[in-house]
Amino acid sequence: VEHHSRVTLVYANGKTASAKSGGDEDDLSWPKSDAQIAAKFSGFSEPLIGAARTRRALAALEALDTMGDVAALPPLLVVA
């Protein structure tokens, strides 16, 4: 299943503009490697929480299924 979106703008003067996205390698249905997921997470989180906390958060997320208490995770993600 590919995910596609189409947006059409109708301007006050009656003109329209349309655009479509989806179905490419960034599509939700395409498999992602761990490295791709980590890179995307880092790209969004590093500017907000810094590189060190991003690394700690990634390590915690990677160990989520074996983590005894997930309460340690939310503080790593708080934007100050």
Side-chain angles (χ1 to χ4, degrees), residues 1 10 13 18 20 24-25 37 40 45 47 51 53 58 62 73 75 77 80:
V1 173
V10 180
N13 65 5
S18 296
K20 178 183 159 190
D24 56 8
E25 62 197 32
I37 294 167
K40 185 170 185 176
S45 63
R53 281 178 53 203
L58 268 172
E62 289 170 354
L73 184 57
L77 303 172

Side-chain angles (χ1 to χ4, degrees), residues 5 7 9-10 13 17 19 25-26 32 35 37 48 54 56 58-59 62 64 66 68 73 75-76:
S5 297
V7 175
L9 301 174
V10 180
N13 65 5
E25 62 197 32
D26 289 330
K32 307 292 186 278
I37 294 167
L48 300 171
T54 294
R56 289 196 314 268
L58 268 172
E62 289 170 354
L64 194 59
T66 60
L73 184 57
L76 293 173

Side-chain angles (χ1 to χ4, degrees), residues 27-80:
D27 190 86
L28 294 173
S29 63
W30 281 54
K32 307 292 186 278
S33 68
D34 289 347
Q36 287 172 302
I37 294 167
K40 185 170 185 176
F41 178 82
S42 296
F44 284 111
S45 63
E46 273 188 30
L48 300 171
I49 63 173
R53 281 178 53 203
T54 294
R55 285 191 300 276
R56 289 196 314 268
L58 268 172
L61 289 166
E62 289 170 354
L64 194 59
D65 59 343
T66 60
M67 198 181 276
D69 184 2
V70 296
L73 184 57
L76 293 173
L77 303 172
V78 173
V79 178

